[in-house]
Amino acid sequence: MKFVLFNLEVDIMGTVWRLQTRTDSKDGKKISKYCLDHKVAALGWSIKDDHINKYNPESITEIQEKRKKIKNIEGYYDVVRTYGLYGINNKKRLIAVDMLLEVEKGDYIWMRDNGIYYLGYVGDKLRYKYNSRNKALEHDAANQIKGVVWKPIGDESQVPGAVATAFIRGRTIQRINKSHMFEYAEYAFWGNPMVLENSNEAYLQQLFYNCLSPSDCEDLVCLYLYDKANYIAIPSTNKIATELYECVLVNPETGMFAYPQVKKGNVDLNFANYIDLVDNHKRNKEVYLFTSEGMIDKSTIQSDFIHIITAKELYLWVKSKIGSKCYLIPEGIVKWYKLIHSSKNS
């Protein structure tokens, strides 16, 4: 990819990470504020006094002294293996701690603090440090990489869906393996225009969906069905948690009911799971299936009342509405669309 810095165009490769900050802190709080204040990205597994209080007084004192002398990752492992902390023996390792060492200069790290997303840039001062000071231990933040400059980005509406959904589950620190998120991180941190290496429609479509959240996709499908088939949502059904549909829509003129199932990401759907929803003698129910990156299997079931909305179909509909200055598309989604399509080379 290309990145313009001080009017020089250079090739830069890097990784985007996601850091969870729920750790075993003394006050029960996340360590995100500690990371922001100290310009670090930090993890737990900190050899706290609480972790070693089962040992006899002599061993506790010995561990505390060795803890102060840890200079690198192997020194850290020497202590935890010697005393069997965290169930670690000579063959096992702590994946999250090891992942810290895979972060490189020029990478970006996303973190949340009280609902606000922060983007960290890993600069020239990058190095691993085991911090045995009381404040780091109290926050369960002893395993650190230094040299991270944090910048506030905003709430969930201000970050791509691929970033927000990366916080749902997974390891303490992990890569965000969406190919366009590095370009967005450079745009968000430095304020420079996004520079896309490709401008074909399929590329822009995928980048568009990467920027949307699951809720954004649900909104678009419901608005699409309103525009195309006069369906409106029954508000109370949005609060009902079901595995098969997001809400119930009704056409006020025909009395038909629609059940949209919307999946964001590489999630497959199967016609067979929805046949019971439309198997009624009144023939007044239909299902609409959408997945942004997955496949929809209809090989074993034929039904005139189960329909597919393809990712391309929905994307082109959004494009046509925004192009005609229609106000049907939510402002947040319009923002992502315009960002992508105003980027250099798009």
Side-chain angles (χ1 to χ4, degrees):
M1 68 190 66
K2 301 282 186 188
F3 181 55
V4 179
L5 182 63
F6 303 117
N7 295 321
L8 295 175
E9 188 174 74
V10 295
D11 289 319
I12 294 181
M13 297 297 292
T15 301
V16 180
W17 302 84
R18 184 274 288 137
L19 175 67
Q20 292 278 26
T21 54
R22 295 190 299 268
T23 58
D24 185 23
S25 61
K26 188 173 182 179
D27 56 8
K29 295 181 180 179
K30 297 188 297 183
I31 64 171
S32 45
K33 190 174 188 306
Y34 177 92
C35 291
L36 295 172
D37 291 343
H38 294 82
K39 296 183 179 179
V40 299
L43 300 173
W45 297 278
S46 298
I47 318 180
K48 296 170 56 180
D49 288 347
D50 290 347
H51 300 155
I52 61 177
N53 59 16
K54 65 180 180 180
Y55 294 93
N56 60 51
E58 292 79 9
S59 294
I60 291 175
T61 300
E62 186 176 275
I63 295 171
Q64 289 172 335
E65 289 303 312
K66 288 186 176 182
R67 183 175 63 187
K68 294 177 183 178
K69 298 177 182 178
I70 295 174
K71 300 296 183 184
N72 52 42
I73 190 70
E74 293 310 322
Y76 169 78
Y77 273 118
D78 182 58
V79 175
V80 298
R81 285 170 173 165
T82 299
Y83 297 94
L85 298 174
Y86 313 116
I88 299 299
N89 56 33
N90 288 334
K91 294 182 179 180
K92 291 184 178 180
R93 299 182 70 91
L94 292 164
I95 294 175
V97 177
D98 285 350
M99 291 286 276
L100 267 185
L101 273 68
E102 295 186 26
V103 179
E104 298 181 346
K105 175 186 172 182
D107 286 356
Y108 294 90
I109 305 172
W110 285 98
M111 180 179 70
R112 286 190 304 195
D113 179 60
N114 293 323
I116 300 300
Y117 287 78
Y118 289 80
L119 182 59
Y121 175 71
V122 182
D124 293 330
K125 297 181 180 179
L126 168 67
R127 67 181 178 91
Y128 168 83
K129 178 179 182 180
Y130 181 83
N131 190 335
S132 61
R133 293 183 179 179
N134 288 338
K135 196 166 187 178
L137 294 173
E138 288 172 0
H139 283 82
D140 192 20
N143 283 294
Q144 305 175 358
I145 52 172
K146 300 178 70 66
V148 181
V149 180
W150 296 101
K151 179 177 180 178
I153 301 301
D155 61 21
E156 189 166 308
S157 67
Q158 301 301 310
V159 302
V163 171
T165 55
F167 283 85
I168 295 175
R169 62 180 65 86
R171 296 191 176 102
T172 303
I173 185 169
Q174 64 184 34
R175 293 174 176 85
I176 298 179
N177 289 317
K178 293 293 185 180
S179 59
H180 313 301
M181 291 302 99
F182 187 83
E183 290 94 332
Y184 178 79
E186 292 189 325
Y187 157 78
F189 194 90
W190 301 104
N192 291 321
M194 286 182 67
V195 180
L196 304 180
E197 59 193 20
N198 201 327
S199 60
N200 66 56
E201 196 80 334
Y203 179 93
L204 296 176
Q205 174 183 307
Q206 185 57 60
L207 179 52
F208 174 69
Y209 283 118
N210 284 350
C211 288
L212 300 188
S213 69
S215 295
D216 288 335
C217 287
E218 292 171 16
D219 288 346
L220 283 181
V221 168
C222 288
L223 291 167
Y224 173 87
L225 291 174
Y226 164 75
D227 187 52
K228 295 292 187 179
N230 200 32
Y231 276 115
I232 59 175
I234 301 174
S236 61
T237 63
N238 283 315
K239 303 173 185 178
I240 301 173
T242 70
E243 293 183 4
L244 294 179
Y245 55 90
E246 315 305 333
C247 60
V248 181
L249 311 178
V250 63
N251 184 317
E253 296 179 359
T254 66
M256 286 288 291
F257 291 94
Y259 298 82
Q261 172 66 294
V262 181
K263 293 298 181 183
K264 165 75 166 57
N266 189 20
V267 182
D268 296 337
L269 299 173
N270 193 316
F271 264 39
N273 296 331
Y274 304 91
I275 193 65
D276 288 344
L277 276 177
V278 298
D279 187 15
N280 65 98
H281 67 281
K282 292 183 179 180
R283 316 293 283 177
N284 67 336
K285 298 178 181 178
E286 53 186 355
V287 170
Y288 287 86
L289 304 178
F290 171 86
T291 176
S292 64
E293 297 172 49
M295 304 291 292
I296 300 178
D297 183 3
K298 59 177 181 177
S299 59
T300 58
I301 298 292
Q302 298 295 322
S303 174
D304 293 334
F305 294 89
I306 302 179
H307 313 285
I308 297 173
I309 302 172
T310 67
K312 182 177 181 179
E313 182 181 354
L314 189 65
Y315 168 74
L316 292 178
W317 174 77
V318 170
K319 184 176 182 179
S320 68
K321 291 300 174 183
I322 293 177
S324 64
K325 297 184 179 179
C326 171
Y327 295 100
L328 193 60
I329 310 301
E331 183 179 354
I333 297 174
V334 173
K335 176 195 73 174
W336 292 120
Y337 180 90
K338 289 186 174 180
L339 171 63
I340 294 164
H341 291 78
S342 63
S343 300
K344 186 177 180 180
N345 297 335
S346 67

